[in-house]
Amino acid sequence: MRIDVVSIFPAYLQALDLSLVGKARRTGLLDLRVHDLRDWTDDRHRTVDDTPFGGGAGMVMRPDVWGAALDEVMRPAPGEPVDAHLLVPTPSGRTFTQRMAEELAGDGHLVLACGRYEGIDARVAEHVGARHRVSEVSIGDYVLNGGEAAALVVVEAVVRLLPGVVGNPASLVEESHGAAGLLEYPVYTKPPTWEGLEVPEVLLSGHHGRVERWRRDRALERTAERRPDLVAALDPATLDRADLAVLARLGWSVVDGRVSRGPDAVA
Ligand code: JA8
């Protein structure tokens, strides 16, 4: 896969030299190129922004500079049939999810445009959109100072899904259907006693069936506590009697084929 990242702070992306993404680059599984947007300016001050039409606070990134950068970076190399997909991190984008990461991992060429200030002139997405797929993506409901940190998140989430990048693919399999739609259970390692805190006895028992049940119970409890939206989205057909008992204790039940909570839900 090829990934290009365009930013006015290319040094911000140096983290992509490290760890699993860095290794994927060195082994040739990933062709990752980081560019300085100012390389496409033509004035003495290397200007990338200007004041917003219609007034208001802050500055907006100029379409001419971004257009020149993206036209060049997204142009298919001779004999390269893959269509580049532009990703623009922005708090007003569609929420970036694991499913989206899985879809993007199937693309041949991703380009990330990291905006700063009040964002990029809206005509850039329109211009690029005439020839390429363009997706504005949000990594969560908070505001950053620019798209760079979000680009790091997207690149890492996608690259670890590329074949051969994660050392033990069993980890990916377990992750994807370990407990569909639930948060992970808590994990422990040696020593069995630390600072007066014990590892739950069942995990030392060697009883595989009891371990699996305990993990499932803890995953359900955590999810109900932290992410009730995920519990409400569970398919009742994926829940066994023990699951339903745990959920009932937490005030959830199946009503009209849906997992729901509240007065009607309590048996
Ligand atoms: C921001 Br400025 C800017 C650009 C991209 C993003 S993604 C996010 N959560 N905040 C801010």
Side-chain angles (χ1 to χ4, degrees), residues 1 99-108 110 157-159 161-163:
M1 166 176 271
R99 171 173 296 180
M100 206 184 288
E102 286 162 10
E103 287 169 5
L104 295 175
D107 287 346
L110 301 177
V158 170
V159 169
L161 300 177
L162 299 178

Side-chain angles (χ1 to χ4, degrees), residues 38-253:
R38 293 192 201 275
D39 290 349
W40 284 275
T41 57
D42 46 23
D43 65 315
R44 212 161 50 84
H45 296 104
R46 311 229 294 163
T47 310
V48 294
D49 61 339
D50 212 324
T51 54
F53 279 127
M59 301 291 271
V60 173
M61 298 191 98
R62 292 179 56 100
D64 50 353
V65 178
W66 270 111
L70 296 176
D71 283 350
E72 180 172 336
V73 165
M74 300 187 78
R75 181 164 51 237
E80 190 193 29
V82 288
D83 181 34
H85 182 175
L86 178 63
L87 301 175
V88 187
T90 164
S92 41
R94 287 169 52 217
T95 304
F96 180 70
T97 61
Q98 188 65 26
R99 171 173 296 180
M100 206 184 288
E102 286 162 10
E103 287 169 5
L104 295 175
D107 287 346
H109 185 191
L110 301 177
V111 177
L112 285 120
C114 302
R116 285 261 152 182
Y117 318 115
E118 301 310 308
I120 303 172
D121 185 300
R123 291 170 293 182
V124 173
E126 241 187 281
H127 167 76
V128 175
R131 271 173 304 270
H132 300 277
R133 284 170 297 160
V134 177
S135 303
E136 299 193 1
V137 296
S138 165
I139 61 162
D141 288 339
Y142 37 81
V143 179
L144 303 170
N145 288 327
E148 285 79 6
L152 291 175
V153 166
V154 170
V155 169
E156 181 160 326
V158 170
V159 169
R160 63 190 295 283
L161 300 177
L162 299 178
V165 169
V166 165
N168 177 10
S171 310
L172 292 180
V173 173
E174 196 163 293
E175 223 168 68
S176 62
H177 69 83
L182 295 180
L183 302 184
E184 292 290 336
Y185 49 79
V187 296
Y188 301 85
T189 185
K190 291 170 276 299
T193 304
W194 173 74
E195 298 272 324
L197 301 171
E198 306 287 341
V199 171
E201 192 251 67
V202 61
L203 300 180
L204 312 175
S205 70
H207 194 305
H208 179 69
R210 285 179 53 216
V211 168
E212 289 307 298
R213 187 65 250 167
W214 182 89
R215 287 177 166 170
R216 177 95 180 157
D217 292 352
R218 300 294 83 74
L220 285 162
E221 284 174 354
R222 261 191 178 180
T223 309
E225 173 66 24
R226 302 175 184 179
R227 294 293 304 277
D229 59 313
L230 294 182
V231 174
L234 289 171
D235 176 358
T238 66
L239 303 173
D240 63 21
R241 298 176 66 88
D243 292 339
L244 294 171
V246 172
L247 289 174
R249 168 165 66 75
L250 301 170
W252 295 81
S253 72

